[in-house]
Amino acid sequence: MLGGSVLIALLRFIISLIGVNIFYALMSEARYGRKKTIIYGACFYTVMLLLACIWYVIDWENCVKIVALAMYIGFAFFVVYMSKGPFYLSMYKLAFTYYLLAIFLIGGIEFAIIFFDGSVWADIGARIVLIILIALFINRYLRDSIKAFGAYVEKELDWFSVTLMIFSLVCGIGFVLNPGRLDQSPYRFYQMAVTFFLIGTLQLLMFRLYLHIGKEQEYQKDNQLMQMNHRLLERQLEMMEEAVESNKRKRHNMKHHNAVIAEFARRGQTEELLQYLKECEEYEEGTDIDVEEDICENNAVNHILSAYARRAKKDQIQVMLDIELGKDLPIPVIDLVTILANAYENAIYGCMEVKKQEKERECLIHLMIKRKKNKLTIYCSNTCRVETELRKGEPKPEFTGGVGVSSIIKTAEKFDGEYDFKNDEGVFVFRLMINIP
C-alpha cells in the first residue's frame, strides 16, 4: 500500500508537510516576518524531503513504518523555533496537529483500501481532500476560537493539565499509527475509528471547558469595570453636589454681604464699611473652605485626586500625596484617571477593612507619581489587613472589594507597563511603571 517509486513517496511527503503546515499555521502566529519565514521553511523542508527520499531508497521497510513520526519530530522542532507563544502551549498545538496528521494519513489509506483496492493515487487524492476539508473547517469554525482558547489556556491552564492533554493525544495516535500492526481487518478499522472519535471528543470537551473558563473570566472583568465606572460616577456626583452646595453658600453669603454693604452706604458710615471689608478680606485669607487643593497642573487628575482625598479624610484616613505631573500628560487622561481612581478606591477599601477590625488604628494612603524621561512611575501604598493575600501576583478580590485590579492591569499592559502588588506586613503596596509612547 505504501510502496511505489521514490517520486510517489516524495509526493506523499510533500502533501503531508503541506497539511501539517497549514493546520499549525491556522492555530499559531509566526515569530518572524512572512519573507523570512518562507525562506527558512523552504530550506528546512527541502533538506527534510531529501533525507526522507534517501531513507526511502536505502531502507524502504523501516522507512514506511516510522517516516511519518520522524518527519513530524523534525517539523516539531522547527515550528517551535519559528512560532511565538509559550512553549507548553506550542506543544499542545503540535500534538493536536499530529492528531490531524493521523486522520488524513489513516483516512487516505483506509479509503483507498476499502473503495479502490489499495490504489496509490486514491490514497493521495483522499489525503488532499481530507487536508482541504479539515483546513476549511478550522478556518471557518475554529480559527478565531482556537486563538482565543490559546490566550485563555495561557492564563488558566497549568502544566499538569496540559501534560495530560498532550499525553492523551500522543497515546491515542501511537496506538493508531503503531508500525507493528499492519493488518487491515474490519476490527482494526473499528478500533482506529473509535480511538479517533474518543480522542477528538476529549479534546473538544477540554477546548470548550477552557473556552468557557476564559469567557467567564472576561465576564468577571467586564463586571469589575462596570462597578469601577459606577464608583467613578458616584465620586463625580459627590463632586457636583459639593459644588452645588458651595455655590448655594456663596450666594447666601453674598446676599448678606451685599445687604451689609448697602446698609453702611445708606447710613454714610464709610469708616465702618472699610473696617468690615478689611475683616472680610482677613477671613477669606484665613480659611480654606471650598478651595480645592492644588495637587498638580493637570485639571482632570487634580479633580479626581482632590475628590478621593476629601473622601479619605472624611473616613479619618490620612493622605500623603507626592505628585509631579505637568499639564500635558504623557498618556491619554482617561487611562491615567482609570489607574488612579482604581488604586485610590482599593486603598480606601483596604483602610476601611482595617478600621472594621481595629477602630483606633491609624490608616494612611501614600500616592506618588513621578516622570523620568520616557517612564511614568506610580506608587500607591495603604494600610491593610495583615492577612491580605495574593493569588498569581494579584490581590484577591475579597481584599480589594472586587474592583479595579483587572482594569489597572489591562491599562498597564496597553502601554507595555510593568506592575506588582505586595503586602509588606500590613502595608499594601502597588507599583506601576509605564512606558511613555
Coordinates of all heavy atoms in Angstrom, one line a residue, residues 393-394 404-414 419 421:
G393 N 0.2 36.7 42.0 CA 0.8 38.0 42.0 C -0.2 39.2 42.1 O 0.2 40.3 42.0
E394 N -1.5 38.8 42.2 CA -2.5 39.9 42.3 C -3.3 39.7 43.6 O -3.5 38.6 44.1 CB -3.5 39.7 41.1 CG -2.8 39.9 39.7 CD -3.7 39.6 38.6 OE1 -4.9 39.6 38.8 OE2 -3.2 39.4 37.4
G404 N -11.2 46.9 40.3 CA -10.1 47.7 40.0 C -8.8 47.1 39.5 O -8.2 47.6 38.6
V405 N -8.5 45.9 40.1 CA -7.2 45.3 39.8 C -7.1 45.0 38.3 O -6.1 45.3 37.6 CB -6.9 44.1 40.7 CG1 -5.6 43.4 40.2 CG2 -6.8 44.5 42.1
S406 N -8.1 44.3 37.8 CA -8.0 43.9 36.4 C -8.0 45.1 35.4 O -7.4 45.1 34.4 CB -9.3 43.0 36.0 OG -10.5 43.7 36.2
S407 N -8.7 46.2 35.8 CA -8.7 47.4 35.0 C -7.3 48.0 35.0 O -6.8 48.5 34.0 CB -9.7 48.4 35.5 OG -9.8 49.5 34.7
I408 N -6.7 48.0 36.1 CA -5.3 48.6 36.2 C -4.4 47.8 35.4 O -3.6 48.3 34.6 CB -4.8 48.6 37.7 CG1 -5.6 49.6 38.5 CG2 -3.3 48.9 37.8 CD1 -5.3 49.5 40.0
I409 N -4.5 46.4 35.5 CA -3.6 45.6 34.7 C -3.8 45.7 33.2 O -2.9 45.8 32.4 CB -3.8 44.1 35.1 CG1 -3.3 43.9 36.6 CG2 -3.1 43.1 34.2 CD1 -3.6 42.5 37.1
K410 N -5.1 45.8 32.8 CA -5.4 45.9 31.4 C -4.8 47.2 30.8 O -4.3 47.3 29.7 CB -6.9 45.9 31.2 CG -7.4 45.8 29.8 CD -8.9 45.6 29.7 CE -9.3 45.5 28.2 NZ -10.8 45.3 28.1
T411 N -5.0 48.3 31.6 CA -4.5 49.6 31.1 C -2.9 49.6 31.1 O -2.3 50.2 30.2 CB -5.0 50.7 32.1 OG1 -6.4 50.7 32.2 CG2 -4.5 52.1 31.5
A412 N -2.3 49.0 32.1 CA -0.8 48.9 32.1 C -0.3 48.1 31.0 O 0.7 48.5 30.3 CB -0.4 48.3 33.5
E413 N -0.9 47.0 30.6 CA -0.5 46.2 29.5 C -0.6 46.9 28.2 O 0.1 46.7 27.2 CB -1.3 44.9 29.5 CG -0.9 44.0 30.7 CD -1.7 42.7 30.7 OE1 -2.8 42.7 30.0 OE2 -1.4 41.8 31.4
K414 N -1.6 47.8 28.2 CA -1.8 48.6 26.9 C -0.6 49.4 26.6 O -0.3 49.7 25.4 CB -3.0 49.6 27.2 CG -3.3 50.5 26.0 CD -4.6 51.3 26.3 CE -4.9 52.3 25.2 NZ -6.1 53.2 25.6
Y419 N 4.2 46.0 36.5 CA 3.5 46.3 37.8 C 3.7 45.1 38.7 O 4.1 44.0 38.4 CB 2.0 46.4 37.5 CG 1.4 45.2 36.8 CD1 0.9 44.2 37.6 CD2 1.3 45.1 35.4 CE1 0.3 43.1 37.0 CE2 0.7 44.0 34.8 CZ 0.3 43.0 35.6 OH -0.3 41.9 35.0
F421 N 2.2 43.9 43.0 CA 1.5 44.1 44.2 C 2.1 43.3 45.3 O 2.6 42.2 45.1 CB 0.0 43.6 44.1 CG -0.7 44.2 42.9 CD1 -0.7 43.6 41.6 CD2 -1.5 45.4 43.1 CE1 -1.4 44.2 40.6 CE2 -2.2 46.0 42.0 CZ -2.1 45.4 40.7

